Amino acid sequence: MEKEKHLGLRIDFETHEELKSLAEYEGRSINGEVLYLIRQAIAQHEQQKGALK
């Protein structure tokens, strides 16, 4: 079974630069920051509306 999936993401230059700055500030790679933000969004959703399947 595959453990990781690849997700291609297209973002504009300005958003990329801001994400890069945020990741550096938080001590994460850009990929690590994106994963962190996605997990935070999922946790917030589940807290408000219940578990996702």
Side-chain angles (χ1 to χ4, degrees), residues 5-53:
K5 295 283 188 178
H6 178 269
L7 175 65
L9 177 66
R10 293 182 186 183
I11 58 174
D12 60 83
F13 180 80
E14 184 178 325
T15 302
H16 181 272
E17 289 299 306
E18 291 173 337
L19 180 60
K20 181 179 173 183
S21 293
L22 177 60
E24 288 174 359
Y25 178 81
E26 296 293 341
R28 298 183 182 102
S29 66
I30 293 175
N31 187 73
E33 187 65 24
V34 169
L35 285 172
Y36 173 80
L37 293 170
I38 291 170
R39 288 174 180 145
Q40 289 295 102
I42 290 169
Q44 182 180 12
H45 176 86
E46 289 185 328
Q47 185 178 29
Q48 293 172 356
K49 299 182 180 178
L52 294 168
K53 291 186 179 197

